[in-house]
Amino acid sequence: MSHLIIEQGEAVGTEVSIPKDGMKFGRSPANDLELKDESVMLFHGRFFFKSDGSLWVTDFGAGEKTVVDGVAIDEYQLKVGDLVEVGKTAFRIINLSIDSEEDPPPKAPVPVALPVVQDDVVEEAEEIDLGFKAVSAAKKGGKAHKKAHEKESSFTHRITQVLISLVVVGVLIYVAMEAMKLSDPVTPNVAPHKKSFSLSYERVVGNEKNIYRYKLDLDQNRHLKVIVDDLKGNRHITEERVVSEPVILQLASQIDEAGFFEVDADRIGISENQYDLHDLTVQSSHWLQRIKVLNRRPPLQIKRTIDLIDDFALSEAGILTSFFKSQEELLVMAKLAFDRAETKYREREIRTVNYALAIKNYRDTVFFLETIDNKPAYYEKAEARLEEVSEMRDQRYDDLMFQTEQAIRLKEWETAERHLKKLTELIPERSDDRYDTIRSKMLNVERYLR
């Protein structure tokens, strides 16, 4: 059963089936699905089913992001009709069901030929001559009846013995358990095993002009602390908060899939004028590993892990690892984000998702310029645009939701579905409370369309 069809790329029209245990995709031949595209990472992402049967796609966080219906994602629950773009390849979701492998038909039982035992043969075989051959005819005539009675009595006797034995064993087990309780009346309840996870990441860049330091610590109590120091720019920032358990479990899974534990040694180099350090320690259940990369380019697995930590720090503490870049670099990043935001703002009526993309890029612009004293002129424009497009999106949401509810009241399910798809593009952020409202209505409408 096919789940995807390739709509763009080398193999247009090819249908792809996702196995029960998922399917990794990327440029490496070691993936389940190899994509011959230089813009795609060696191990780019994975399609997989969750325990409830829903189909998801996850991005390993290295390089160009996976995009669903125009929105870059980390992990996303897919639905029929979604367009997943990976580099130059685009997949259309055509099926969400897990393939059910039929059990092979049971083999026909092979008849076993049992030996036919004749009573008279058995009697002769069991007959033992004790010197009493002269038996009366009357006794011989009653012999068969007596043996049948003896067999019946023996069978009943054995069944009784088995039942008695079972009762005795049950009583002994019960007595033993009660004795154990009495001998240790304060035995504490043992809590089920819980997966533990902690993380420490330090990034230091030093040269003759300045020293930048970024430190992130996440302990087993889910306490996150991020510290940023920029000596020349006189920036010193500390953020602390408690992270939800589902977010930590997702991060632990992503780091494992990124291949961090596959790296087996530090990468140490020498540089006269530069000190460039990545120091990363991850503890996940019974796995504990520390890797240092000094004055060397991080291997692919470490680069993926750092990108995941970068996204995690931004979403949970509002701080990027790139925050300690120079002011010149931040200005470049801010200008790029502002230009993208302006483009999406102008095209907001062409594609509904452009509302969300414009908001995201305006926010990035404001964020990159937040700690810079002499802000460029477009900073104030970015703030004003962010407020303006947010209000426009809110109004667009109200209008589409009104049309959706009206279509539902009239039982025009296809019309309701079209409005809800636009709402999904309008509000792609799972952190937005409206996202759950949209998903709930979509599931209800899809139930009537089946």
Side-chain angles (χ1 to χ4, degrees):
M1 181 185 299
S2 300
H3 299 91
L4 319 171
I5 185 169
I6 299 178
E7 290 194 352
Q8 179 180 318
E10 287 190 352
V12 173
T14 302
E15 294 188 6
V16 181
S17 179
I18 302 173
K20 289 182 179 179
D21 54 355
M23 180 180 71
K24 292 183 179 180
F25 57 86
R27 202 170 73 249
S28 170
N31 289 285
D32 303 304
L33 180 60
E34 179 184 358
L35 302 177
K36 297 179 180 179
D37 181 354
E38 290 301 320
S39 65
V40 174
M41 301 307 298
L42 287 173
F43 297 90
H44 199 100
R46 177 172 173 253
F47 292 102
F48 65 99
F49 293 98
K50 288 197 175 182
S51 57
D52 61 356
S54 57
L55 178 60
W56 292 68
V57 60
T58 186
D59 186 281
F60 290 160
E64 184 176 339
K65 300 290 286 183
T66 301
V67 175
V68 179
D69 291 337
V71 181
I73 58 93
D74 293 316
E75 187 169 280
Y76 187 84
Q77 182 178 355
L78 296 167
K79 59 185 182 298
V80 173
D82 280 345
L83 185 68
V84 182
E85 298 175 75
V86 184
K88 298 176 182 178
T89 304
F91 304 94
R92 180 74 66 181
I93 308 302
I94 59 175
N95 198 331
L96 302 177
S97 302
I98 302 178
D99 287 348
S100 58
E101 298 178 0
E102 296 183 358
D103 295 327
K107 296 181 179 179
V110 179
V112 179
L114 299 176
V116 179
V117 181
Q118 298 179 357
D119 288 345
D120 57 340
V121 174
V122 173
E123 287 175 6
E124 290 182 6
E126 293 182 354
E127 184 178 0
I128 301 175
D129 185 7
L130 297 178
F132 301 101
K133 291 285 187 176
V135 183
S136 66
K139 287 183 178 180
K140 286 183 180 179
K143 188 174 183 180
H145 174 74
K146 180 178 180 182
K147 283 204 169 190
H149 177 72
E150 287 176 352
K151 287 181 180 180
E152 184 179 352
S153 299
S154 176
F155 177 76
T156 304
H157 179 67
R158 288 181 181 178
I159 290 296
T160 304
Q161 285 183 323
V162 170
L163 292 174
I164 293 173
S165 299
L166 290 174
V167 172
V168 171
V169 170
V171 171
L172 290 174
I173 292 173
Y174 174 79
V175 172
M177 291 177 65
E178 290 299 316
M180 289 172 65
K181 289 181 182 178
L182 291 173
S183 63
D184 188 16
V186 291
T187 301
N189 293 326
V190 180
H193 175 69
K194 186 178 182 181
K195 184 173 183 178
S196 60
F197 180 80
S198 61
L199 167 68
S200 177
Y201 173 57
E202 184 174 21
R203 175 88 163 97
V204 180
V205 177
N207 52 40
E208 295 177 352
K209 297 181 179 180
N210 197 8
I211 295 178
Y212 304 97
R213 178 177 180 267
Y214 175 96
K215 187 74 166 66
L216 179 147
D217 288 301
L218 176 66
D219 63 25
Q220 295 189 13
N221 294 321
R222 299 186 283 113
H223 180 256
L224 172 67
K225 184 175 184 180
V226 182
I227 301 174
V228 179
D229 293 310
D230 171 10
L231 297 184
K232 183 179 178 180
N234 195 28
R235 293 182 295 173
H236 305 282
I237 297 176
T238 300
E239 290 287 342
E240 297 185 59
R241 64 197 59 202
V242 176
V243 183
S244 67
E245 187 172 352
V247 171
I248 291 177
L249 292 175
Q250 181 183 19
L251 177 63
S253 175
Q254 289 175 333
I255 288 178
D256 185 45
E257 291 181 353
F260 172 75
F261 292 103
E262 297 173 7
V263 180
D264 57 1
D266 295 338
R267 305 292 197 274
I268 307 297
I270 299 175
S271 176
E272 293 183 359
N273 302 317
Q274 181 81 11
Y275 183 86
D276 190 346
L277 171 70
H278 296 275
D279 188 351
L280 184 55
T281 303
V282 178
Q283 178 270 319
S284 182
S285 293
H286 59 284
W287 293 99
L288 173 64
Q289 176 158 282
R290 181 179 184 181
I291 294 293
K292 288 184 178 181
V293 180
L294 177 62
N295 297 329
R296 295 278 297 276
R297 177 177 293 180
L300 179 61
Q301 297 92 329
I302 300 299
K303 178 63 170 63
R304 291 179 191 148
T305 304
I306 292 170
D307 288 342
L308 289 170
I309 294 172
D310 197 339
D311 291 341
F312 170 72
L314 177 61
S315 62
E316 295 301 322
I319 297 178
L320 281 166
T321 55
S322 58
F323 185 82
F324 61 88
K325 291 181 180 294
S326 67
Q327 293 195 11
E328 291 77 13
E329 290 174 306
L330 289 173
L331 284 168
V332 171
M333 295 167 65
K335 188 62 169 65
L336 288 173
F338 179 74
D339 290 342
R340 285 195 297 266
E342 288 285 88
T343 300
K344 299 302 179 184
Y345 176 82
R346 290 191 297 270
E347 299 174 352
R348 64 189 182 278
E349 296 302 326
I350 299 176
R351 293 185 65 192
T352 309
V353 71
N354 287 337
Y355 281 93
L357 294 175
I359 290 171
K360 177 185 182 301
N361 283 287
Y362 282 130
R363 282 176 178 164
D364 288 345
T365 303
V366 172
F367 172 76
F368 291 136
L369 298 174
E370 187 175 4
T371 60
I372 294 178
D373 294 331
N374 297 321
K375 295 178 173 57
Y378 61 83
Y379 175 78
E380 292 184 0
K381 184 176 181 180
E383 284 190 315
R385 284 278 206 222
L386 177 59
E387 183 176 354
E388 178 189 356
V389 73
S390 296
E391 291 178 355
M392 293 170 68
R393 182 169 75 158
D394 291 344
Q395 183 60 51
R396 181 80 170 135
Y397 172 85
D398 291 340
D399 292 343
L400 283 171
M401 186 55 73
F402 174 79
Q403 295 173 34
T404 300
E405 291 175 346
Q406 187 177 37
I408 291 175
R409 283 195 296 271
L410 297 173
K411 298 183 179 181
E412 297 175 352
W413 306 116
E414 292 182 355
T415 302
E417 184 185 36
R418 285 197 301 272
H419 293 325
L420 285 167
K421 284 182 177 179
K422 289 183 179 180
L423 283 166
T424 302
E425 295 178 355
L426 190 69
I427 311 291
E429 305 96 337
R430 294 175 182 271
S431 57
D432 194 315
D433 293 338
R434 294 173 292 186
Y435 179 89
D436 291 334
T437 302
I438 296 167
R439 290 299 302 163
S440 176
K441 289 185 180 295
M442 178 66 82
L443 291 172
N444 186 49
V445 168
E446 288 176 347
R447 183 165 58 90
Y448 286 99
L449 288 172
R450 289 172 186 165

